[in-house]
Amino acid sequence: MQMPEPSQAIMNQREALAVALRQIVGQEWVISDEAERRPYQCDGITAYMAMPLLVVLPGSAAEVQQILRFCHERGVKVVPRGSGTSLSGGALPLEDGILLVTSRLCNVLEVDAPNRVARVQPGVPNIKISEAVQHLGLCYMPDPSSQLISTIGGNVAENAGGVHCLKYGVTANHILGLEAVLMTGEIIRLGGAYLGAAEGEMDLMGVLTGSEGLLAMVTEIAVRLEPVPEVARVISMSFPSVEEACACVGAIVGAGIIPAGLEFMDRKVLDAVSVLIRETFDSNTAALLLCELDGTAVEVDALVDVVSDVARNQGAIETKVSTTEEERQRIWSSRKLAFSAIGKLCPDYYCTDGTIPRNKLPEVLNKMADMSVKYGLDYANCFHAGDGNLHPIIMYDAAKPGDLEKAEAFGADVLIACVDAGGVLSGEHGVGVEKRDLMTHQFTDIDLNQQQMVKCAFDPAELLNPGKVFPTACRCAEFGRMHVRNGAIRFPDIPRF
Amino acid sequence: MTQTETVCLRPASTQDVADIVMDAAAAGQTLAVTGNGTRSGFGNPVKADRTLALGGLDQIAFYDPEDLVIRTGVGLTLDELEHMLAAKGQYLPFEPPRYTGLYGTDAQRSTVGGAVATALSGPRRILSGAVRDFVLGVEGVNGQGDVFKAGGRTMKNVTGYDLSKLVTGACGTLAVLTSVTLKVLPAPRAELTLVLPARTLEDDRALFEKIRALPLGVGGLARRVGADGRCEVIIRVEGTAPGVAGNHQVLEALLPTPPRVLEQEESQALWREIRELSCLTPKADELVWRVNLPATAMPAFVDEARRAGCINRFFVDWAGGVVFSTMRGVQPEVDVLRYRKMAEKIGARSMILRAPDAIRSQFGAFPPVAAGVAALEQRTRTAFDPAGIFNPGRMTVQA
Ligand SMILES: Cc1cc2nc3c(=O)[nH]c(=O)nc-3n(C[C@H](O)[C@H](O)[C@H](O)COP(=O)(O)OP(=O)(O)OC[C@H]3O[C@@H](n4cnc5c(N)ncnc54)[C@H](O)[C@@H]3O)c2cc1C
């Protein structure tokens, strides 16, 4: 993975920068010692590592403001970081940049139950919001599997999804207001702490959400709270073939039902988890769907009947419906343990998150089988079927020379197949460094230029999280003065990282 | 409006649009970007050299009901789109209002592009989300005549910046949208509406809060003056038939008085009226406002504004989170500023939905934003449209 060439001049100033930053955040909140910086070398993708110049932990938005202003003046790069669970390398440090970590900005500032909003700091772990409002019968809906650890700031930066986003939407649909600090140190406030607070203003909040820390450092978030659904029931449906399971996904949606969650697991995943949950799956089962339905008891009972009928019509071998909360948890445990179960089968695995139109599922899954043969690597499938968000788990052994490269190439082929099927490179993990160089497959140069122009509006010095998302630097100074004609590349001479 | 006097260009393809924009950019001419112009009265008046009318871009690229997605040219009318979706039992959950009653234009001609560009959402906003939540992707032409696309057609997508959201609600000031990809949903199988006499604003707001605290899928909570002149509270329940029946019972137990029950068509007709603000029946010289605010602040705000003479008639939607009102056109220069100040004091967002051109030009139809945000918005505009040729002044007040 090629990153922008680090600046030796900046790296030489490390000690002086540490002294100056300590004056802002206090002695103990700048980590300079190499051993203490080591845990920050990577995020959720351990294949990419870099030692950050310094790790800085601000305690307030005012401190963030001072840090960014200082770094802007000195030309020092900044990489924002929440809990470092990103699966695309978005929080990968830069050797000539500071890592700005939100762990100390971890307070739920206000719960406004009547208006159904909570104001929180970016370092609050996702689950803490729901915990803080549980006693009111409310929750924060988006629930990435990493919700115990991943921060709401990181969720905003990645526009995280979750099992329940099929029905309830992703992070962007639940953010009502943001406070953010631009690289210059300027604080901006968008939207506010009530539904509709952003009406009539340009949707800068929309573009900040999912911008992977490239546009501004988010320092406060107003999130929408929802009442916890009265009941949830899950139906487990087993199918003799992957095709039939995929067809059932379309048929459920086609029947006018939007389940709270609709997950797919293939036979390999089932075999892996059956050891852990001490349950066996019918030998004719090639794929399993888990369909969660929630709402009021009457509503859910009605939907359970419809979905069960659909499943039978689509050739399900067996359907099991949870009748108690305990049963529901047990049925879900197979899905929850899927990734760790696969982890026990192989030394390493690699998982991407390309997303496709639902009706292209069989086509792309078949292509994956061919790729597996081509690369000689095994794989398994466990993914958010309802929204076509694939999570192929490619198994490899990092100790074997060339295996990682093969896994990466396999993953890239899957992503390209997703784009070719009318889909996108990333449904929820973001582009980061992982998918950066594939962006040109999904977007034309004009599309990418337009996105990078927006970067220039926010951070013309390109100091905030550079080297991520886009395969080339922005060259903000030159933008706006150039014209493209008939799709000609604007800067054919720009070196790719 | 000077638009009727200017040359009107009617492109039939994205390439036409790109050519027109390139020519305009080269000639240093500005463009008023419109669909069929049914909502030219929304936002600030635009003075431009030419008008670009996109109603001809009405081709549907695809509609995939099983995948809940449609991609269409921006010129397709909302009526046609909703008709087509209804045939498959689907709908646009954000319930786009036309507001053509306010502007004296033809509701049937309101376009999809206009709905996305103005980002106006209807009563179901409290349950299902806003326009922005359903725009999956766009194709557009920037101020240099480059055709770009953003987003995609999948429900989930975090690949690159979400420019689709950025252009949604930008009123054509960033780019000329040529096609949009929308997420659609299965329409609820059953709906019914409960109507009961209103009490005080605070009582009604508290009732809304109580209802919203329960997971009943209530997609409409409004309070308005009914046909007989009396105030009423209106509650919409949607879902499966058994679900709606069950929620109906739960709701009735919460209500202070037994409600009148409207089913299916009758319920739909009532919510269309609410969506279109029909009950405001503004007089020709009255201004029409929309104020978004925390529901808890609504009763005091309305009382104060009425006492100050800034609200003449009003009604409340979004469970108390939005106040639509009329303002007498007697001394608008004074009242506009007073009303805005009242809103600003409580962090509310005030938008003029209808007013004479001169008023909107002077004060701006959109809520004022902080200087830093305004500057960032301007830089963002420049990023799309460096010479500022699209809809100049539509969202900003020229000094
Ligand atoms: C086991 C596991 C399961 C996961 N499941 C899901 C899932 O179901 N759905 C899903 O969407 N993702 C999932 N993820 C991915 C990851 O958890 C999410 O992307 C999450 O949002 C990252 O949050 P974080 O706090 O760890 O952010 P980090 O990894 O620290 O940072 C992520 C990105 O956000 C930026 N950033 C962080 N904080 C800020 C801030 N305050 N302001 C500006 N930029 C900031 C960083 O620069 C970086 O680009 C999973 C990851 C793991 C390890």
Side-chain angles (χ1 to χ4, degrees):
Chain A
M1 182 53 55
Q2 212 183 329
M3 293 300 285
E5 198 57 44
S7 151
Q8 197 55 51
I10 296 285
M11 289 167 71
N12 292 342
Q13 296 170 39
R14 217 176 72 83
E15 292 310 320
L17 292 172
V19 171
L21 289 165
R22 285 196 168 108
Q23 276 171 2
I24 300 173
V25 293
Q27 186 67 22
E28 67 208 285
W29 303 118
V30 174
I31 301 175
S32 156
D33 181 70
E34 184 166 337
E36 288 178 56
R37 276 184 284 146
R38 201 161 290 138
Y40 293 96
Q41 281 186 103
C42 65
D43 58 18
I45 288 205
T46 48
Y48 309 129
M49 285 203 185
M51 184 64 87
L53 192 62
L54 294 164
V55 177
V56 185
L57 298 105
S60 68
E63 286 181 7
V64 171
Q65 181 172 34
Q66 289 176 56
I67 294 164
L68 291 184
R69 192 181 289 147
F70 172 78
C71 290
H72 187 248
E73 278 164 13
R74 297 295 185 90
V76 178
K77 296 168 185 166
V78 176
V79 177
R81 173 175 164 123
S83 292
T85 65
S86 165
L87 292 175
S88 57
L92 175 70
L94 299 171
E95 285 169 23
D96 60 344
I98 66 159
L99 198 63
L100 194 54
V101 186
T102 59
S103 337
R104 290 176 67 216
L105 301 169
C106 56
N107 297 308
V108 173
L109 299 172
E110 186 194 356
V111 173
D112 178 356
N115 293 309
R116 298 237 312 244
V117 185
R119 284 197 304 119
V120 302
Q121 290 187 303
V124 172
N126 172 301
I127 191 81
K128 292 278 179 218
I129 305 176
S130 288
E131 284 175 4
V133 297
Q134 202 172 14
H135 64 288
L136 300 163
L138 298 172
C139 66
Y140 172 66
M141 272 299 173
D143 57 347
S145 311
S146 57
Q147 70 179 158
L148 291 180
I149 321 167
S150 71
T151 65
I152 182 71
N155 291 173
V156 169
E158 300 286 7
N159 192 10
V163 165
H164 290 99
C165 66
L166 176 56
K167 177 169 174 186
Y168 294 102
V170 293
T171 305
N173 310 122
H174 295 265
I175 303 302
L176 300 173
L178 288 180
E179 177 193 85
V181 186
L182 301 182
M183 191 62 218
T184 52
E186 188 181 357
I187 295 195
I188 54 165
R189 293 191 180 82
L190 306 167
Y194 58 92
L195 188 79
E199 295 279 324
E201 73 183 31
M202 191 187 279
D203 200 355
L204 297 172
M205 193 158 63
V207 81
L208 256 180
T209 308
S211 64
E212 305 196 28
L214 268 70
L215 297 183
M217 182 77 189
V218 174
T219 48
E220 191 182 309
I221 302 129
V223 301
R224 183 174 173 177
L225 303 173
E226 304 287 334
V228 179
E230 188 180 297
V231 283
R233 296 177 69 188
V234 62
I235 312 180
S236 142
M237 304 168 264
S238 53
F239 292 89
S241 72
V242 167
E243 283 75 16
E244 279 157 294
C246 292
C248 188
V249 172
I252 291 171
V253 176
I257 295 171
I258 305 295
L262 188 51
E263 299 287 305
F264 174 104
M265 288 183 276
D266 71 8
R267 183 73 215 188
K268 244 173 252 153
V269 173
L270 296 178
D271 285 339
V273 292
S274 69
V275 188
L276 295 185
I277 62 172
R278 290 201 205 91
E279 213 172 289
T280 50
F281 295 91
D282 179 285
S283 62
N284 293 319
T285 298
L288 192 86
L289 288 181
L290 294 184
C291 175
E292 179 148 296
L293 299 158
D294 70 4
T296 57
V298 201
E299 183 102 21
V300 171
D301 289 347
L303 294 176
V304 163
D305 289 343
V306 181
V307 172
S308 305
D309 279 349
V310 170
R312 265 189 297 278
N313 290 337
Q314 296 295 322
I317 304 172
E318 190 188 22
T319 59
K320 272 190 250 171
V321 187
S322 70
T323 49
T324 63
E325 184 55 24
E326 244 176 17
E327 257 174 26
R328 187 178 81 93
Q329 297 293 351
R330 199 171 56 240
I331 293 180
W332 268 114
S333 66
S334 57
R335 170 64 176 91
K336 292 204 168 134
L337 291 169
F339 284 79
S340 39
I342 294 286
K344 295 205 187 326
L345 295 184
C346 56
D348 300 280
Y349 68 77
Y350 174 58
C351 173
T352 60
D353 72 320
T355 302
I356 53 174
R358 272 178 284 254
N359 54 16
K360 294 289 167 73
L361 282 171
E363 179 187 318
V364 174
L365 294 182
N366 279 333
K367 279 195 188 164
M368 267 186 223
D370 297 342
M371 292 171 197
S372 169
V373 176
K374 173 175 159 197
Y375 290 103
L377 292 178
D378 208 359
Y379 75 109
N381 257 314
C382 173
F383 60 87
H384 311 304
D387 31 42
N389 190 185
L390 299 174
H391 282 338
I393 312 168
I394 299 166
M395 303 176 221
Y396 71 101
D397 181 355
K400 256 197 226 161
D403 237 28
L404 169 65
E405 289 71 22
K406 272 199 278 178
E408 285 180 326
F410 187 165
D413 277 3
V414 173
L415 294 178
I416 287 169
C418 288
V419 173
D420 292 344
V424 295
L425 295 171
S426 179
E428 57 179 18
H429 297 164
V431 175
V433 291
E434 184 212 16
K435 308 178 186 88
R436 186 190 70 192
D437 296 341
L438 294 172
M439 286 289 271
T440 49
H441 193 75
Q442 183 176 334
F443 294 109
T444 65
D445 286 305
I446 290 177
D447 302 338
L448 289 175
N449 280 340
Q450 190 57 68
Q451 294 189 35
Q452 292 193 292
M453 297 278 271
V454 171
K455 164 77 171 172
C456 297
F458 279 79
D459 173 28
E462 293 180 61
L463 290 172
L464 206 49
N465 218 1
K468 316 287 174 71
V469 182
F470 300 106
T472 61
C474 293
R475 290 198 179 176
C476 294
E478 283 143 75
F479 268 151
R481 292 196 269 112
M482 309 279 290
H483 272 250
V484 191
R485 281 289 175 266
N486 306 321
I489 293 184
R490 209 178 281 251
F491 304 113
D493 55 325
I494 288 192
R496 313 261 143 171
F497 294 132
Chain B
M1 284 279 119
T2 52
Q3 282 171 20
T4 43
E5 300 146 29
T6 59
V7 181
C8 185
L9 304 158
R10 300 181 187 281
S13 69
T14 300
Q15 191 51 50
D16 287 355
V17 175
D19 290 343
I20 291 170
V21 172
M22 261 188 245
D23 287 351
Q29 288 184 327
T30 53
L31 294 169
V33 185
T34 68
N36 285 331
T38 62
R39 275 177 288 197
S40 298
F42 177 79
N44 304 342
V46 169
K47 274 209 178 80
D49 299 318
R50 287 155 170 245
T51 295
L52 188 54
L54 299 160
L57 300 180
D58 59 355
Q59 303 290 311
I60 294 153
F62 64 83
Y63 172 30
D64 187 346
E66 267 211 2
D67 212 29
L68 306 174
V69 61
I70 184 164
R71 178 173 164 182
T72 168
V74 289
L76 187 73
T77 66
L78 283 169
D79 276 13
E80 280 173 285
L81 173 60
E82 287 182 332
H83 206 78
M84 192 165 60
L85 298 179
K88 298 281 180 195
Q90 300 189 333
Y91 77 151
L92 298 172
F94 54 89
E95 214 177 357
R98 318 300 201 254
Y99 290 165
T100 43
L102 297 179
Y103 309 123
T105 49
D106 181 358
Q108 288 177 7
R109 287 174 47 76
S110 283
T111 61
V112 176
V116 172
T118 57
L120 292 164
S121 312
R124 204 181 283 104
R125 167 79 171 97
I126 51 167
L127 180 70
S128 307
V131 181
R132 73 196 286 270
D133 299 311
F134 294 87
V135 180
L136 299 177
V138 299
E139 179 194 75
V141 177
N142 69 16
Q144 305 198 55
D146 301 333
V147 179
F148 69 94
K149 66 175 186 317
R153 60 161 291 182
T154 54
M155 299 297 126
K156 271 161 103 182
N157 178 6
V158 293
T159 321
Y161 298 142
D162 195 345
L163 300 188
S164 309
K165 284 210 173 58
L166 196 52
V167 296
T168 301
C171 281
T173 61
L174 295 177
V176 180
L177 299 183
T178 49
S179 102
V180 292
T181 308
L182 300 177
K183 170 180 172 177
V184 300
L185 285 180
R189 294 296 146 92
E191 84 168 69
L192 61 79
T193 292
L194 309 178
V195 183
L196 61 148
R199 294 178 294 164
T200 66
L201 278 173
E202 178 52 30
D203 287 343
D204 295 336
R205 184 213 60 80
L207 176 66
F208 291 158
E209 182 190 328
K210 209 152 82 178
I211 294 173
R212 286 236 306 154
L214 300 173
L216 299 176
V218 171
L221 285 167
R223 181 192 195 273
R224 67 157 196 178
V225 181
D228 58 358
R230 256 176 282 179
C231 272
E232 55 194 21
V233 164
I234 309 170
I235 305 163
R236 173 168 62 184
V237 205
E238 298 166 302
T240 59
V244 167
N247 290 344
H248 177 190
Q249 278 180 351
V250 178
L251 282 169
E252 282 227 11
L254 292 177
L255 303 181
T257 43
R260 193 153 54 87
V261 181
L262 309 182
E263 314 240 3
Q264 296 302 107
E265 282 80 27
E266 225 188 330
S267 165
Q268 284 162 11
L270 173 57
W271 284 99
R272 257 196 308 277
E273 272 180 43
I274 295 170
R275 186 191 80 193
E276 294 304 324
L277 322 180
S278 308
C279 62
L280 276 180
T281 54
K283 300 201 185 72
D285 67 335
E286 275 181 325
L287 279 61
V288 178
W289 286 83
R290 181 180 84 174
V291 173
N292 292 94
L293 74 183
T296 45
M298 180 273 295
F301 173 79
V302 170
D303 284 344
E304 187 191 342
R306 291 178 80 185
R307 272 199 308 276
C310 291
I311 288 183
N312 192 17
R313 282 183 311 290
F314 77 100
F315 86 95
V316 174
D317 198 359
W318 296 8
V322 61
V323 177
F324 294 97
S325 63
T326 64
M327 175 182 275
R328 288 194 189 87
V330 187
Q331 44 164 10
E333 291 82 359
V334 180
D335 288 343
V336 166
L337 285 177
R338 284 168 62 223
Y339 194 46
R340 274 248 155 96
K341 223 177 222 110
M342 267 179 232
E344 238 161 88
K345 209 172 62 195
I346 58 159
R349 315 267 305 158
S350 59
M351 188 189 286
I352 304 177
L353 288 184
R354 191 189 78 177
D357 282 4
I359 297 285
R360 287 178 296 130
S361 296
Q362 186 181 350
F363 299 102
F366 293 99
V369 291
V373 175
L376 183 57
E377 287 184 352
Q378 194 47 48
R379 292 200 296 278
T380 305
R381 273 199 192 94
T382 307
F384 281 83
D385 176 17
I389 64 173
F390 297 144
N391 279 347
R394 183 88 195 249
M395 293 192 84
T396 46
V397 178
Q398 249 101 25

